[in-house]
Amino acid sequence: MTRAAAPKSAALDDGSPDGRSTRWDDHNADRRERILAAAIELVQQSGGDVAVRDIAERAGVPRSVVYRIFRDRDDLDEQLRTEIIGRLMRVLSPVLEPHGTIREAIDIAATTYVSWVSENPLLHQFLGFSPAKRTAPGSRVVSGTRIAVSRRLQALIEAGVTRAGGDPAIAEPLAFGVVGLVDGAVNRWVHRADGAFSAEQLSEFLAESIWVMLTTHGAHQGIVLTADTRASDLF
C-alpha cells in the first residue's frame, strides 16, 4: 500500500516566511547598509565618480553582490542620494520649524544648511553629480526633496499671510522662489574652489536675501514684518 504524503507544515502553508528567508533578508539589509556606508566614505574622500569595485572592496563584499543588492549603478547612485539627503534632513528639518523671531529663524536655517554643506561638500556635489558616461535622468529623490521643502515653506507662508489678512496665492511662487535662490547660490558656491566667499558670508547673504523677499512681498500684501516680529505672531 502506498503511504500518503505527509502534510506540509502549517508554517509553510500559511504563506508566512520561514526562518531561513528572514535571516537572508536581514543579511541582505546588512550588506546594503555596508555598501552605502562604504560608498559615502569614498565619495567624501574622492568625489562622485567612484568605481563599484572600490565600493565593494571597502564594504568587504564581492562586486557581484553589489549588483545583486542594487539593480544597476544608477539604482546604487539614487539610493546613495537618498541616504545623503536623509543625513541632511536630520540636521535641517528641526530648523525648518520657525521659533523666536522670523528673522532669527531665517538666520538659523541658512546657517545650519550652509554649515552642513561646508562640512560635506563632496556629498552635496554628489546630489547633482552625473558622469558623462552615464545618462541617468535627474534624481527623483533630489527633486522630490526640493519640492517637499518648498511645499513646507509654502504652507508656512500661506498660514501667515492668511492670518494677517493677505492673499495666500502669493505663497507658492514665493516659497519656490526662496528655495530656488538658496539652491542655486549654494550649488554655485560649493563648486568654486577660490574661497572668495566664506560660509559665513554665504549664510548672511542667503538670510538677508530671504528676509528682503519676505518683507517686500509682505508689504505688497499690507503685512509689515520687522526684526522683532515673532513666528508665533503669524504661524
Side-chain angles (χ1 to χ4, degrees):
M1 180 179 295
T2 303
R3 180 176 298 177
K8 295 181 180 179
S9 68
L12 296 179
D13 285 344
D14 65 5
S16 61
D18 61 15
R20 288 171 299 177
S21 175
T22 302
R23 287 193 298 272
W24 187 250
D25 289 343
D26 291 343
H27 185 51
N28 281 339
D30 176 68
R31 291 194 295 187
R32 176 185 176 278
E33 291 178 4
R34 284 161 50 199
I35 291 167
L36 289 176
I40 284 181
E41 290 176 4
L42 289 171
V43 169
Q44 286 178 314
Q45 293 174 7
S46 307
D49 201 11
V50 295
V52 172
R53 65 176 177 274
D54 294 332
I55 295 172
E57 182 178 349
R58 177 67 64 92
V61 300
R63 184 172 180 270
S64 60
V65 167
V66 176
Y67 287 113
R68 286 204 297 269
I69 302 294
F70 303 93
R71 292 191 306 274
D72 50 30
R73 180 58 194 264
D74 290 336
D75 183 41
L76 171 59
D77 285 352
E78 189 70 343
Q79 293 198 44
L80 180 54
R81 292 186 189 98
T82 300
E83 179 68 21
I84 293 170
I85 287 177
R87 294 186 178 197
L88 167 60
M89 293 309 296
R90 282 193 288 274
V91 173
L92 190 59
S93 290
V95 302
L96 294 180
E97 299 296 329
H99 301 285
T101 68
I102 294 176
R103 182 57 201 251
E104 288 170 345
I106 293 171
D107 289 344
I108 291 170
T111 299
T112 299
Y113 182 43
V114 172
S115 295
W116 187 91
V117 173
S118 179
E119 294 166 4
N120 303 277
L122 295 180
L123 292 184
H124 184 272
Q125 287 182 15
F126 184 81
L127 296 177
F129 179 75
S130 181
K133 62 185 178 183
R134 296 202 296 275
T135 57
S139 167
R140 291 184 179 180
V141 68
V142 173
S143 60
T145 301
R146 189 180 297 118
I147 290 172
V149 171
S150 300
R151 291 298 186 196
R152 174 57 187 149
L153 180 57
Q154 177 185 344
L156 286 172
I157 296 173
E158 282 180 349
V161 171
T162 300
R163 184 172 179 179
D167 182 3
I170 190 63
E172 183 175 44
L174 182 53
F176 278 78
V178 167
V179 173
L181 165 70
V182 173
D183 193 48
V186 172
N187 284 341
R188 180 56 192 155
W189 175 78
V190 80
H191 281 86
R192 292 190 62 170
D194 56 14
F197 217 50
S198 69
E200 182 179 0
Q201 287 175 308
L202 179 62
S203 298
E204 293 174 353
F205 166 80
L206 291 175
E208 183 65 22
S209 298
I210 295 169
W211 178 246
V212 168
M213 292 175 72
L214 293 181
T215 55
T216 299
H217 289 286
H220 291 165
Q221 297 287 322
I223 303 169
V224 178
L225 298 176
T226 72
D228 297 322
T229 302
R230 300 189 67 79
S232 57
D233 295 336
L234 291 177
F235 309 126

